[in-house]
mmCIF file of all heavy atoms in Angstrom:
data_model
loop_
_atom_site.group_PDB
_atom_site.id
_atom_site.type_symbol
_atom_site.label_atom_id
_atom_site.label_comp_id
_atom_site.label_asym_id
_atom_site.label_seq_id
_atom_site.Cartn_x
_atom_site.Cartn_y
_atom_site.Cartn_z
ATOM 1 N N ALA A 29 0.898 -1.162 -0.018
ATOM 2 C CA ALA A 29 0.008 -0.017 0.024
ATOM 3 C C ALA A 29 0.875 1.233 -0.041
ATOM 4 O O ALA A 29 1.989 1.209 0.404
ATOM 5 C CB ALA A 29 -0.901 -0.009 1.251
ATOM 6 N N TRP A 30 0.248 2.267 -0.470
ATOM 7 C CA TRP A 30 0.888 3.614 -0.324
ATOM 8 C C TRP A 30 0.063 4.456 0.607
ATOM 9 O O TRP A 30 -1.174 4.540 0.514
ATOM 10 C CB TRP A 30 0.947 4.340 -1.683
ATOM 11 C CG TRP A 30 1.940 3.788 -2.640
ATOM 12 C CD1 TRP A 30 1.760 2.853 -3.597
ATOM 13 C CD2 TRP A 30 3.300 4.137 -2.665
ATOM 14 N NE1 TRP A 30 2.943 2.587 -4.248
ATOM 15 C CE2 TRP A 30 3.879 3.421 -3.719
ATOM 16 C CE3 TRP A 30 4.105 5.038 -2.003
ATOM 17 C CZ2 TRP A 30 5.287 3.471 -4.031
ATOM 18 C CZ3 TRP A 30 5.476 5.121 -2.322
ATOM 19 C CH2 TRP A 30 6.040 4.328 -3.333
ATOM 20 N N PHE A 31 0.635 5.034 1.577
ATOM 21 C CA PHE A 31 0.056 6.009 2.468
ATOM 22 C C PHE A 31 0.718 7.350 2.137
ATOM 23 O O PHE A 31 1.782 7.469 1.616
ATOM 24 C CB PHE A 31 0.269 5.599 3.901
ATOM 25 C CG PHE A 31 -0.579 4.486 4.378
ATOM 26 C CD1 PHE A 31 -0.351 3.184 4.013
ATOM 27 C CD2 PHE A 31 -1.689 4.748 5.228
ATOM 28 C CE1 PHE A 31 -1.166 2.136 4.466
ATOM 29 C CE2 PHE A 31 -2.491 3.692 5.651
ATOM 30 C CZ PHE A 31 -2.161 2.427 5.264
ATOM 31 N N ARG A 32 -0.007 8.393 2.577
ATOM 32 C CA ARG A 32 0.563 9.702 2.563
ATOM 33 C C ARG A 32 0.215 10.599 3.745
ATOM 34 O O ARG A 32 -0.814 10.342 4.363
ATOM 35 C CB ARG A 32 0.127 10.409 1.232
ATOM 36 C CG ARG A 32 -1.383 10.720 1.117
ATOM 37 C CD ARG A 32 -1.720 11.378 -0.251
ATOM 38 N NE ARG A 32 -3.104 11.758 -0.245
ATOM 39 C CZ ARG A 32 -3.670 12.358 -1.339
ATOM 40 N NH1 ARG A 32 -2.892 12.541 -2.446
ATOM 41 N NH2 ARG A 32 -4.922 12.700 -1.335
ATOM 42 N N GLN A 33 1.109 11.568 4.008
ATOM 43 C CA GLN A 33 0.934 12.417 5.111
ATOM 44 C C GLN A 33 1.242 13.831 4.716
ATOM 45 O O GLN A 33 2.450 14.193 4.444
ATOM 46 C CB GLN A 33 1.866 11.926 6.309
ATOM 47 C CG GLN A 33 1.572 12.774 7.533
ATOM 48 C CD GLN A 33 2.178 12.110 8.785
ATOM 49 O OE1 GLN A 33 3.207 11.348 8.644
ATOM 50 N NE2 GLN A 33 1.666 12.407 9.929
ATOM 51 N N ALA A 34 0.186 14.658 4.638
ATOM 52 C CA ALA A 34 0.354 16.042 4.330
ATOM 53 C C ALA A 34 0.817 16.788 5.589
ATOM 54 O O ALA A 34 0.629 16.362 6.785
ATOM 55 C CB ALA A 34 -0.938 16.608 3.807
ATOM 56 N N PRO A 35 1.402 17.973 5.354
ATOM 57 C CA PRO A 35 1.764 18.801 6.579
ATOM 58 C C PRO A 35 0.639 19.116 7.514
ATOM 59 O O PRO A 35 -0.380 19.523 7.046
ATOM 60 C CB PRO A 35 2.338 20.147 5.951
ATOM 61 C CG PRO A 35 2.783 19.735 4.543
ATOM 62 C CD PRO A 35 1.800 18.669 4.178
ATOM 63 N N GLY A 36 0.833 18.725 8.740
ATOM 64 C CA GLY A 36 -0.165 19.028 9.798
ATOM 65 C C GLY A 36 -1.307 18.133 9.852
ATOM 66 O O GLY A 36 -2.257 18.347 10.563
ATOM 67 N N LYS A 37 -1.301 17.086 8.988
ATOM 68 C CA LYS A 37 -2.409 16.111 8.982
ATOM 69 C C LYS A 37 -1.952 14.677 9.224
ATOM 70 O O LYS A 37 -0.747 14.421 9.236
ATOM 71 C CB LYS A 37 -2.981 16.135 7.497
ATOM 72 C CG LYS A 37 -3.698 17.410 7.175
ATOM 73 C CD LYS A 37 -4.305 17.310 5.786
ATOM 74 C CE LYS A 37 -4.930 18.622 5.465
ATOM 75 N NZ LYS A 37 -5.691 18.600 4.113
ATOM 76 N N GLU A 38 -2.841 13.793 9.584
ATOM 77 C CA GLU A 38 -2.578 12.396 9.871
ATOM 78 C C GLU A 38 -2.212 11.617 8.604
ATOM 79 O O GLU A 38 -2.631 11.982 7.484
ATOM 80 C CB GLU A 38 -3.776 11.772 10.567
ATOM 81 C CG GLU A 38 -4.044 12.262 11.925
ATOM 82 C CD GLU A 38 -5.190 11.626 12.667
ATOM 83 O OE1 GLU A 38 -5.809 10.739 11.990
ATOM 84 O OE2 GLU A 38 -5.322 11.914 13.910
ATOM 85 N N ARG A 39 -1.535 10.594 8.726
ATOM 86 C CA ARG A 39 -1.195 9.770 7.662
ATOM 87 C C ARG A 39 -2.442 9.001 7.195
ATOM 88 O O ARG A 39 -3.227 8.538 7.983
ATOM 89 C CB ARG A 39 -0.131 8.801 8.090
ATOM 90 C CG ARG A 39 0.495 7.986 6.920
ATOM 91 C CD ARG A 39 1.701 7.019 7.394
ATOM 92 N NE ARG A 39 2.706 7.826 8.102
ATOM 93 C CZ ARG A 39 3.749 7.223 8.451
ATOM 94 N NH1 ARG A 39 3.948 5.910 8.413
ATOM 95 N NH2 ARG A 39 4.697 7.992 9.055
ATOM 96 N N GLU A 40 -2.698 8.946 5.934
ATOM 97 C CA GLU A 40 -3.830 8.399 5.331
ATOM 98 C C GLU A 40 -3.539 7.426 4.228
ATOM 99 O O GLU A 40 -2.602 7.552 3.522
ATOM 100 C CB GLU A 40 -4.768 9.387 4.827
ATOM 101 C CG GLU A 40 -4.234 10.217 3.591
ATOM 102 C CD GLU A 40 -5.320 11.197 3.049
ATOM 103 O OE1 GLU A 40 -6.370 11.337 3.619
ATOM 104 O OE2 GLU A 40 -4.925 11.872 2.042
ATOM 105 N N PHE A 41 -4.385 6.459 4.101
ATOM 106 C CA PHE A 41 -4.363 5.476 3.069
ATOM 107 C C PHE A 41 -4.554 6.043 1.645
ATOM 108 O O PHE A 41 -5.537 6.847 1.441
ATOM 109 C CB PHE A 41 -5.299 4.350 3.248
ATOM 110 C CG PHE A 41 -5.404 3.280 2.214
ATOM 111 C CD1 PHE A 41 -4.580 2.228 2.247
ATOM 112 C CD2 PHE A 41 -6.379 3.420 1.195
ATOM 113 C CE1 PHE A 41 -4.646 1.195 1.307
ATOM 114 C CE2 PHE A 41 -6.402 2.404 0.193
ATOM 115 C CZ PHE A 41 -5.606 1.264 0.270
ATOM 116 N N ALA A 42 -3.752 5.846 0.660
ATOM 117 C CA ALA A 42 -3.965 6.305 -0.720
ATOM 118 C C ALA A 42 -4.376 5.231 -1.701
ATOM 119 O O ALA A 42 -5.292 5.339 -2.409
ATOM 120 C CB ALA A 42 -2.745 6.972 -1.248
ATOM 121 N N ALA A 43 -3.492 4.075 -1.601
ATOM 122 C CA ALA A 43 -3.838 2.984 -2.569
ATOM 123 C C ALA A 43 -3.241 1.704 -1.998
ATOM 124 O O ALA A 43 -2.266 1.727 -1.321
ATOM 125 C CB ALA A 43 -3.246 3.377 -3.965
ATOM 126 N N GLY A 44 -3.862 0.566 -2.380
ATOM 127 C CA GLY A 44 -3.349 -0.692 -2.046
ATOM 128 C C GLY A 44 -3.527 -1.708 -3.085
ATOM 129 O O GLY A 44 -4.335 -1.515 -4.049
ATOM 130 N N ILE A 45 -2.667 -2.799 -2.976
ATOM 131 C CA ILE A 45 -2.682 -3.747 -4.039
ATOM 132 C C ILE A 45 -2.324 -5.127 -3.365
ATOM 133 O O ILE A 45 -1.575 -5.208 -2.441
ATOM 134 C CB ILE A 45 -1.661 -3.482 -5.133
ATOM 135 C CG1 ILE A 45 -1.873 -4.501 -6.303
ATOM 136 C CG2 ILE A 45 -0.244 -3.489 -4.598
ATOM 137 C CD1 ILE A 45 -1.125 -4.052 -7.547
ATOM 138 N N SER A 46 -3.095 -6.205 -3.781
ATOM 139 C CA SER A 46 -2.918 -7.526 -3.168
ATOM 140 C C SER A 46 -1.657 -8.201 -3.721
ATOM 141 O O SER A 46 -1.043 -7.651 -4.722
ATOM 142 C CB SER A 46 -4.107 -8.400 -3.414
ATOM 143 O OG SER A 46 -4.370 -8.540 -4.907
ATOM 144 N N ARG A 47 -1.264 -9.299 -3.108
ATOM 145 C CA ARG A 47 -0.047 -9.847 -3.365
ATOM 146 C C ARG A 47 0.162 -10.328 -4.870
ATOM 147 O O ARG A 47 1.163 -10.259 -5.444
ATOM 148 C CB ARG A 47 0.291 -11.053 -2.508
ATOM 149 C CG ARG A 47 -0.778 -12.195 -2.671
ATOM 150 C CD ARG A 47 -0.627 -13.173 -1.492
ATOM 151 N NE ARG A 47 -1.691 -14.228 -1.592
ATOM 152 C CZ ARG A 47 -2.075 -14.912 -0.525
ATOM 153 N NH1 ARG A 47 -1.580 -14.667 0.691
ATOM 154 N NH2 ARG A 47 -3.058 -15.859 -0.641
ATOM 155 N N SER A 48 -1.056 -10.740 -5.487
ATOM 156 C CA SER A 48 -1.049 -11.200 -6.867
ATOM 157 C C SER A 48 -1.571 -10.108 -7.760
ATOM 158 O O SER A 48 -1.668 -10.334 -9.015
ATOM 159 C CB SER A 48 -1.943 -12.456 -6.913
ATOM 160 O OG SER A 48 -1.423 -13.528 -6.243
ATOM 161 N N ALA A 49 -1.821 -8.905 -7.258
ATOM 162 C CA ALA A 49 -2.320 -7.820 -8.023
ATOM 163 C C ALA A 49 -3.683 -7.963 -8.671
ATOM 164 O O ALA A 49 -4.012 -7.273 -9.569
ATOM 165 C CB ALA A 49 -1.280 -7.415 -9.163
ATOM 166 N N ASP A 50 -4.423 -8.988 -8.110
ATOM 167 C CA ASP A 50 -5.806 -9.215 -8.526
ATOM 168 C C ASP A 50 -6.751 -8.230 -7.940
ATOM 169 O O ASP A 50 -7.853 -8.185 -8.493
ATOM 170 C CB ASP A 50 -6.140 -10.622 -8.319
ATOM 171 C CG ASP A 50 -5.943 -11.057 -6.884
ATOM 172 O OD1 ASP A 50 -5.187 -10.450 -6.124
ATOM 173 O OD2 ASP A 50 -6.727 -12.050 -6.514
ATOM 174 N N ASN A 51 -6.277 -7.526 -6.925
ATOM 175 C CA ASN A 51 -7.210 -6.488 -6.364
ATOM 176 C C ASN A 51 -6.454 -5.217 -6.048
ATOM 177 O O ASN A 51 -5.277 -5.325 -5.582
ATOM 178 C CB ASN A 51 -7.830 -7.084 -5.046
ATOM 179 C CG ASN A 51 -8.802 -8.192 -5.299
ATOM 180 O OD1 ASN A 51 -9.831 -7.987 -5.854
ATOM 181 N ND2 ASN A 51 -8.568 -9.377 -4.747
ATOM 182 N N THR A 52 -7.011 -4.099 -6.405
ATOM 183 C CA THR A 52 -6.489 -2.825 -5.997
ATOM 184 C C THR A 52 -7.584 -1.981 -5.311
ATOM 185 O O THR A 52 -8.765 -2.176 -5.523
ATOM 186 C CB THR A 52 -6.052 -2.054 -7.305
ATOM 187 O OG1 THR A 52 -7.089 -1.919 -8.213
ATOM 188 C CG2 THR A 52 -4.853 -2.836 -7.894
ATOM 189 N N TYR A 53 -7.061 -1.083 -4.491
ATOM 190 C CA TYR A 53 -7.993 -0.251 -3.680
ATOM 191 C C TYR A 53 -7.487 1.175 -3.682
ATOM 192 O O TYR A 53 -6.259 1.449 -3.651
ATOM 193 C CB TYR A 53 -8.022 -0.793 -2.248
ATOM 194 C CG TYR A 53 -8.295 -2.314 -2.164
ATOM 195 C CD1 TYR A 53 -7.160 -3.200 -2.063
ATOM 196 C CD2 TYR A 53 -9.543 -2.776 -2.166
ATOM 197 C CE1 TYR A 53 -7.408 -4.498 -2.030
ATOM 198 C CE2 TYR A 53 -9.781 -4.156 -2.208
ATOM 199 C CZ TYR A 53 -8.669 -5.091 -2.076
ATOM 200 O OH TYR A 53 -8.959 -6.390 -2.047
ATOM 201 N N TYR A 54 -8.412 2.139 -3.669
ATOM 202 C CA TYR A 54 -8.024 3.487 -3.697
ATOM 203 C C TYR A 54 -8.912 4.358 -2.800
ATOM 204 O O TYR A 54 -10.075 4.123 -2.631
ATOM 205 C CB TYR A 54 -8.181 4.080 -5.100
ATOM 206 C CG TYR A 54 -7.258 3.427 -6.184
ATOM 207 C CD1 TYR A 54 -7.731 2.337 -6.865
ATOM 208 C CD2 TYR A 54 -6.019 3.852 -6.323
ATOM 209 C CE1 TYR A 54 -6.955 1.723 -7.892
ATOM 210 C CE2 TYR A 54 -5.222 3.276 -7.284
ATOM 211 C CZ TYR A 54 -5.705 2.137 -8.048
ATOM 212 O OH TYR A 54 -4.919 1.553 -8.941
ATOM 213 N N ALA A 55 -8.285 5.369 -2.219
ATOM 214 C CA ALA A 55 -9.015 6.406 -1.527
ATOM 215 C C ALA A 55 -9.787 7.183 -2.536
ATOM 216 O O ALA A 55 -9.330 7.427 -3.618
ATOM 217 C CB ALA A 55 -7.994 7.299 -0.686
ATOM 218 N N ASP A 56 -10.908 7.644 -2.045
ATOM 219 C CA ASP A 56 -11.804 8.461 -2.999
ATOM 220 C C ASP A 56 -11.059 9.695 -3.492
ATOM 221 O O ASP A 56 -11.285 10.137 -4.690
ATOM 222 C CB ASP A 56 -13.026 8.925 -2.217
ATOM 223 C CG ASP A 56 -13.998 7.725 -2.016
ATOM 224 O OD1 ASP A 56 -13.848 6.744 -2.686
ATOM 225 O OD2 ASP A 56 -14.896 7.831 -1.190
ATOM 226 N N SER A 57 -10.090 10.222 -2.733
ATOM 227 C CA SER A 57 -9.473 11.447 -3.086
ATOM 228 C C SER A 57 -8.526 11.247 -4.273
ATOM 229 O O SER A 57 -8.123 12.257 -4.899
ATOM 230 C CB SER A 57 -8.756 11.973 -1.884
ATOM 231 O OG SER A 57 -7.782 11.029 -1.366
ATOM 232 N N VAL A 58 -8.042 10.004 -4.482
ATOM 233 C CA VAL A 58 -7.145 9.747 -5.567
ATOM 234 C C VAL A 58 -7.680 8.908 -6.707
ATOM 235 O O VAL A 58 -7.055 8.766 -7.774
ATOM 236 C CB VAL A 58 -5.867 9.155 -5.103
ATOM 237 C CG1 VAL A 58 -5.268 9.961 -3.899
ATOM 238 C CG2 VAL A 58 -6.048 7.652 -4.690
ATOM 239 N N LYS A 59 -8.817 8.333 -6.550
ATOM 240 C CA LYS A 59 -9.457 7.380 -7.479
ATOM 241 C C LYS A 59 -9.612 8.170 -8.826
ATOM 242 O O LYS A 59 -10.095 9.245 -8.888
ATOM 243 C CB LYS A 59 -10.771 6.889 -6.952
ATOM 244 C CG LYS A 59 -11.174 5.617 -7.515
ATOM 245 C CD LYS A 59 -12.297 4.928 -6.809
ATOM 246 C CE LYS A 59 -12.543 3.529 -7.247
ATOM 247 N NZ LYS A 59 -13.598 2.779 -6.386
ATOM 248 N N GLY A 60 -9.250 7.428 -9.888
ATOM 249 C CA GLY A 60 -9.314 8.030 -11.228
ATOM 250 C C GLY A 60 -8.112 8.777 -11.675
ATOM 251 O O GLY A 60 -7.978 9.127 -12.771
ATOM 252 N N ARG A 61 -7.203 9.083 -10.690
ATOM 253 C CA ARG A 61 -6.021 9.837 -10.962
ATOM 254 C C ARG A 61 -4.745 9.063 -10.732
ATOM 255 O O ARG A 61 -3.798 9.212 -11.376
ATOM 256 C CB ARG A 61 -5.969 11.133 -10.167
ATOM 257 C CG ARG A 61 -7.104 12.099 -10.456
ATOM 258 C CD ARG A 61 -6.953 13.428 -9.720
ATOM 259 N NE ARG A 61 -6.914 13.294 -8.266
ATOM 260 C CZ ARG A 61 -5.862 13.594 -7.516
ATOM 261 N NH1 ARG A 61 -4.708 14.133 -8.042
ATOM 262 N NH2 ARG A 61 -5.876 13.380 -6.225
ATOM 263 N N PHE A 62 -4.879 8.197 -9.670
ATOM 264 C CA PHE A 62 -3.690 7.460 -9.286
ATOM 265 C C PHE A 62 -3.883 5.923 -9.667
ATOM 266 O O PHE A 62 -5.023 5.482 -9.693
ATOM 267 C CB PHE A 62 -3.443 7.446 -7.721
ATOM 268 C CG PHE A 62 -2.944 8.788 -7.245
ATOM 269 C CD1 PHE A 62 -2.943 9.955 -8.027
ATOM 270 C CD2 PHE A 62 -2.493 8.863 -5.929
ATOM 271 C CE1 PHE A 62 -2.521 11.178 -7.516
ATOM 272 C CE2 PHE A 62 -2.026 10.128 -5.381
ATOM 273 C CZ PHE A 62 -2.109 11.234 -6.238
ATOM 274 N N THR A 63 -2.806 5.265 -9.951
ATOM 275 C CA THR A 63 -2.827 3.806 -10.236
ATOM 276 C C THR A 63 -1.719 3.153 -9.463
ATOM 277 O O THR A 63 -0.539 3.562 -9.714
ATOM 278 C CB THR A 63 -2.639 3.574 -11.771
ATOM 279 O OG1 THR A 63 -3.754 4.191 -12.494
ATOM 280 C CG2 THR A 63 -2.835 2.096 -12.008
ATOM 281 N N ILE A 64 -1.995 2.113 -8.809
ATOM 282 C CA ILE A 64 -1.020 1.299 -8.107
ATOM 283 C C ILE A 64 -0.755 0.009 -8.873
ATOM 284 O O ILE A 64 -1.698 -0.493 -9.420
ATOM 285 C CB ILE A 64 -1.484 1.014 -6.675
ATOM 286 C CG1 ILE A 64 -0.319 0.317 -5.917
ATOM 287 C CG2 ILE A 64 -2.671 0.106 -6.601
ATOM 288 C CD1 ILE A 64 -0.534 0.162 -4.371
ATOM 289 N N ALA A 65 0.436 -0.367 -8.959
ATOM 290 C CA ALA A 65 0.811 -1.543 -9.689
ATOM 291 C C ALA A 65 2.013 -2.256 -9.043
ATOM 292 O O ALA A 65 2.710 -1.553 -8.327
ATOM 293 C CB ALA A 65 1.153 -1.188 -11.193
ATOM 294 N N ARG A 66 2.287 -3.462 -9.326
ATOM 295 C CA ARG A 66 3.482 -4.087 -8.816
ATOM 296 C C ARG A 66 4.093 -4.962 -9.854
ATOM 297 O O ARG A 66 3.398 -5.554 -10.755
ATOM 298 C CB ARG A 66 3.129 -4.845 -7.585
ATOM 299 C CG ARG A 66 2.250 -6.056 -7.722
ATOM 300 C CD ARG A 66 1.729 -6.604 -6.484
ATOM 301 N NE ARG A 66 2.910 -7.125 -5.586
ATOM 302 C CZ ARG A 66 2.777 -7.283 -4.317
ATOM 303 N NH1 ARG A 66 1.668 -7.151 -3.677
ATOM 304 N NH2 ARG A 66 3.811 -7.712 -3.622
ATOM 305 N N ASP A 67 5.328 -5.159 -9.676
ATOM 306 C CA ASP A 67 6.145 -6.053 -10.629
ATOM 307 C C ASP A 67 6.833 -7.020 -9.592
ATOM 308 O O ASP A 67 7.975 -6.657 -9.046
ATOM 309 C CB ASP A 67 7.134 -5.286 -11.501
ATOM 310 C CG ASP A 67 7.749 -6.237 -12.484
ATOM 311 O OD1 ASP A 67 7.840 -7.413 -12.204
ATOM 312 O OD2 ASP A 67 8.348 -5.738 -13.566
ATOM 313 N N ASN A 68 6.323 -8.183 -9.366
ATOM 314 C CA ASN A 68 6.943 -9.017 -8.370
ATOM 315 C C ASN A 68 8.316 -9.569 -8.811
ATOM 316 O O ASN A 68 9.074 -9.909 -8.006
ATOM 317 C CB ASN A 68 5.972 -10.199 -8.100
ATOM 318 C CG ASN A 68 4.809 -9.805 -7.304
ATOM 319 O OD1 ASN A 68 4.838 -8.692 -6.676
ATOM 320 N ND2 ASN A 68 3.778 -10.609 -7.267
ATOM 321 N N ALA A 69 8.500 -9.638 -10.137
ATOM 322 C CA ALA A 69 9.853 -10.027 -10.549
ATOM 323 C C ALA A 69 10.889 -9.059 -10.188
ATOM 324 O O ALA A 69 12.054 -9.409 -10.089
ATOM 325 C CB ALA A 69 9.760 -10.276 -12.104
ATOM 326 N N LYS A 70 10.565 -7.808 -10.088
ATOM 327 C CA LYS A 70 11.469 -6.767 -9.711
ATOM 328 C C LYS A 70 11.400 -6.357 -8.279
ATOM 329 O O LYS A 70 12.115 -5.446 -7.880
ATOM 330 C CB LYS A 70 11.217 -5.535 -10.619
ATOM 331 C CG LYS A 70 11.568 -5.771 -12.124
ATOM 332 C CD LYS A 70 11.361 -4.549 -12.856
ATOM 333 C CE LYS A 70 11.710 -4.759 -14.309
ATOM 334 N NZ LYS A 70 11.511 -3.474 -15.174
ATOM 335 N N ASN A 71 10.593 -6.998 -7.523
ATOM 336 C CA ASN A 71 10.370 -6.628 -6.072
ATOM 337 C C ASN A 71 9.987 -5.160 -5.979
ATOM 338 O O ASN A 71 10.470 -4.549 -4.993
ATOM 339 C CB ASN A 71 11.566 -6.947 -5.314
ATOM 340 C CG ASN A 71 11.595 -8.396 -4.774
ATOM 341 O OD1 ASN A 71 10.923 -9.270 -5.351
ATOM 342 N ND2 ASN A 71 12.322 -8.649 -3.774
ATOM 343 N N THR A 72 9.100 -4.634 -6.781
ATOM 344 C CA THR A 72 8.837 -3.152 -6.762
ATOM 345 C C THR A 72 7.310 -3.004 -6.908
ATOM 346 O O THR A 72 6.628 -3.681 -7.634
ATOM 347 C CB THR A 72 9.573 -2.564 -7.974
ATOM 348 O OG1 THR A 72 10.956 -2.771 -7.860
ATOM 349 C CG2 THR A 72 9.324 -1.123 -7.974
ATOM 350 N N VAL A 73 6.860 -2.016 -6.170
ATOM 351 C CA VAL A 73 5.552 -1.543 -6.321
ATOM 352 C C VAL A 73 5.589 -0.037 -6.742
ATOM 353 O O VAL A 73 6.495 0.682 -6.350
ATOM 354 C CB VAL A 73 4.739 -1.763 -4.959
ATOM 355 C CG1 VAL A 73 5.316 -0.859 -3.876
ATOM 356 C CG2 VAL A 73 3.259 -1.292 -5.272
ATOM 357 N N TYR A 74 4.591 0.369 -7.594
ATOM 358 C CA TYR A 74 4.589 1.638 -8.222
ATOM 359 C C TYR A 74 3.323 2.394 -7.788
ATOM 360 O O TYR A 74 2.182 1.818 -7.533
ATOM 361 C CB TYR A 74 4.670 1.515 -9.684
ATOM 362 C CG TYR A 74 5.873 0.811 -10.219
ATOM 363 C CD1 TYR A 74 5.739 -0.546 -10.530
ATOM 364 C CD2 TYR A 74 7.172 1.412 -10.377
ATOM 365 C CE1 TYR A 74 6.804 -1.217 -11.076
ATOM 366 C CE2 TYR A 74 8.126 0.747 -10.820
ATOM 367 C CZ TYR A 74 8.033 -0.639 -11.086
ATOM 368 O OH TYR A 74 9.140 -1.322 -11.651
ATOM 369 N N LEU A 75 3.385 3.739 -7.833
ATOM 370 C CA LEU A 75 2.275 4.601 -7.774
ATOM 371 C C LEU A 75 2.307 5.610 -8.824
ATOM 372 O O LEU A 75 3.194 6.529 -8.810
ATOM 373 C CB LEU A 75 2.084 5.271 -6.428
ATOM 374 C CG LEU A 75 0.773 6.039 -6.205
ATOM 375 C CD1 LEU A 75 -0.431 5.107 -6.170
ATOM 376 C CD2 LEU A 75 0.930 6.861 -4.889
#
């Protein structure tokens, strides 16, 4: 998952992805603009 923390605010969930990338989840504030993805062969997750 990706979380974010703006100045003076609490850390909040932005996006998440399951181990096999079969499910993704987004906060309403970023939905439609952000995309989470992962490449397990590279041990990397992207936002």
Side-chain angles (χ1 to χ4, degrees):
W30 289 94
F31 285 74
R32 65 185 187 178
Q33 187 167 21
K37 296 184 179 180
E38 295 184 352
R39 193 175 302 183
E40 65 176 4
F41 176 89
I45 188 167
S46 62
R47 62 192 177 205
S48 299
D50 53 337
N51 291 298
T52 57
Y53 311 94
Y54 298 95
D56 289 342
S57 58
V58 309
K59 202 165 191 175
R61 299 187 298 119
F62 291 11
T63 302
I64 188 170
R66 67 191 297 162
D67 186 341
N68 287 345
K70 295 182 178 180
N71 273 23
T72 302
V73 63
Y74 305 95
L75 185 67

